Amino acid sequence: MKKLFKEPFFHFIIIGIALFFLYGLVNKGTDTKNTIIINDFDLDNITSSFEMQWKRDPTEQELQSIINQNIKQEIFYQEALKMNLDHNDEIIKRRPSQTMQFLSNDIAALSEPTDEILKTYYKENSEKYLTPTTYSLYQITFSPDKRKDNYKDAIETLKQFPEASFEEMQPWGDKLPFSYYFEEANANELGLQLGSKFRDALETQEINNWTGPVPSGFGFHLVYITNKTPPQLPGYEKVKNEVIRNYEYDNQNETNELIYQELKKQYDIQFDIKSKDFDPKYVEYLENEFNN
């Protein structure tokens, strides 16, 4: 069946039937000719969409029904445009806009980047690939659920035991469901466990000293950082797949913007704003901005 769909003669028959059927509908009672063409690309899309959904080829009856639905949709679409029904209808306008976006993305994907281009992109955007800071640290927590003034208790404990050993300091904290010691934990992991405030506050803490109080969603902490490894840039080969994804994403956005700017030159964009909330000079600025 699928092989039959790909035969030019079969395509000709289907298109002929569709156009004959359409000709009778569109041209009845009018001298204006509107043409709808279903080509190989359309038919392939129809069958491919059916196969993706149902995991099999459509029968001849199913194919005829789908083609009829597409013709009906196109007729209604063309007539809706004539009646200006798409005006100010976000749902109708969104779909053609998305199609233009897909076309723009296809254009961006036509040229596959070379290794040289990717390496240049990698160097110019190296901050995207830096590993997070990693910490090895001890911490004790002063929970607001177990103390009247947990911040004050943290301050007083730090003053009283500034040089306490890890074993001596541990009993002064409250027992909570996370570790007393974190080894080579990166900042993102700590942020997930103890919150962004804790993670961010670690950046300014000294190492090899008890410091704090450091805030988190669990209260306040005293921390002793034994090791801090700043962000590192992995070798290109280690992050190549990520570089490719980022490059393609940025390239699509840039291409979309370039195409949009070129298309925009063909339009006279006017702003009919009568509200007193807008300064006429601002409206004039918008017109100049969007028409340049």
Side-chain angles (χ1 to χ4, degrees):
M1 184 74 180
K2 190 171 185 179
K3 184 178 180 181
L4 178 63
F5 291 154
K6 295 181 179 179
E7 293 294 331
F9 181 69
F10 180 79
H11 293 174
F12 177 80
I13 293 175
I14 294 297
I15 294 171
I17 293 173
L19 290 178
F20 179 82
F21 170 73
L22 180 65
Y23 183 86
L25 287 179
V26 174
N27 293 280
K28 188 176 182 179
T30 176
D31 294 331
T32 304
K33 294 184 177 180
N34 298 292
T35 303
I36 296 176
I37 300 175
I38 298 178
N39 56 27
D40 292 347
F41 179 79
D42 299 322
L43 198 58
D44 188 60
N45 276 346
I46 290 171
T47 56
S48 296
S49 297
F50 187 97
E51 289 170 7
M52 288 180 64
Q53 182 175 358
W54 300 103
K55 309 302 181 185
R56 63 174 177 83
D57 296 334
T59 65
E60 291 184 6
Q61 185 176 3
E62 288 169 338
L63 180 62
Q64 182 180 349
S65 176
I66 298 170
I67 292 174
N68 185 59
Q69 291 172 13
N70 278 265
I71 293 173
K72 182 178 181 180
Q73 176 178 281
E74 182 65 18
I75 291 173
F76 284 173
Y77 174 70
Q78 294 293 344
E79 293 301 315
L81 291 180
K82 292 177 185 177
M83 298 171 66
N84 204 30
L85 297 181
D86 61 322
H87 184 63
N88 289 332
D89 190 316
E90 288 300 321
I91 295 176
I92 293 177
K93 290 191 289 187
R94 191 180 301 134
R95 185 59 183 268
S97 175
Q98 288 175 340
T99 303
M100 287 295 295
Q101 186 86 14
F102 295 150
L103 289 173
S104 177
N105 290 345
D106 289 342
I107 292 172
L110 286 177
S111 58
E112 187 173 341
T114 63
D115 233 28
E116 183 179 354
I117 291 175
L118 291 173
K119 287 179 179 178
T120 300
Y121 177 87
Y122 162 75
K123 291 178 181 178
E124 293 176 350
N125 298 273
S126 58
E127 71 282 353
K128 291 183 179 181
Y129 309 105
L130 292 174
T131 61
T133 304
T134 59
Y135 299 91
S136 292
L137 61 85
Y138 294 86
Q139 65 78 34
I140 59 173
T141 311
F142 296 82
S143 170
D145 297 331
K146 300 182 179 183
R147 299 169 183 269
K148 291 182 179 180
D149 192 337
N150 60 321
Y151 181 79
K152 181 181 177 182
D153 288 352
I155 290 288
E156 291 181 350
T157 301
L158 183 61
K159 288 181 178 179
Q160 188 174 357
F161 306 105
E163 298 179 359
S165 67
F166 307 134
E167 292 77 13
E168 292 171 336
M169 186 65 84
Q170 184 176 9
W172 294 102
D174 300 319
K175 292 183 179 180
L176 291 174
F178 47 81
S179 179
Y180 169 55
Y181 176 63
F182 292 88
E183 182 175 9
E184 293 301 313
N186 71 52
N188 293 339
E189 293 170 352
L190 291 170
L192 288 174
Q193 292 194 51
L194 299 171
S196 59
K197 289 183 179 179
F198 183 89
R199 176 200 64 204
D200 296 342
L202 289 181
E203 286 291 330
T204 59
Q205 303 303 309
E206 297 179 1
I207 66 172
N208 297 321
N209 281 309
W210 283 107
T211 61
V214 175
S216 82
F218 297 95
F220 289 97
H221 306 255
L222 298 183
V223 299
Y224 191 110
I225 301 173
T226 60
N227 185 60
K228 177 181 179 180
T229 304
Q232 306 291 314
L233 181 62
Y236 167 73
E237 292 297 333
K238 288 186 176 181
V239 292
K240 183 176 179 179
N241 290 338
E242 186 179 354
V243 172
I244 292 173
R245 288 194 299 271
N246 291 338
Y247 173 83
E248 290 176 344
Y249 176 78
D250 288 349
N251 189 43
Q252 278 190 353
N253 287 339
E254 290 176 9
T255 302
N256 290 341
E257 182 63 20
L258 285 172
I259 292 175
Y260 166 66
Q261 292 299 333
E262 286 301 313
L263 290 174
K264 193 176 72 168
K265 294 177 183 177
Q266 303 176 33
Y267 292 84
D268 178 24
I269 303 173
Q270 300 180 0
F271 291 85
D272 186 15
I273 301 176
K274 298 182 174 61
S275 173
K276 295 180 181 179
D277 294 335
F278 290 90
D279 187 333
K281 291 184 178 179
Y282 179 66
V283 176
E284 183 180 353
Y285 162 77
L286 289 176
E287 289 178 340
N288 292 332
E289 183 73 13
F290 280 90
N291 285 291
N292 290 329

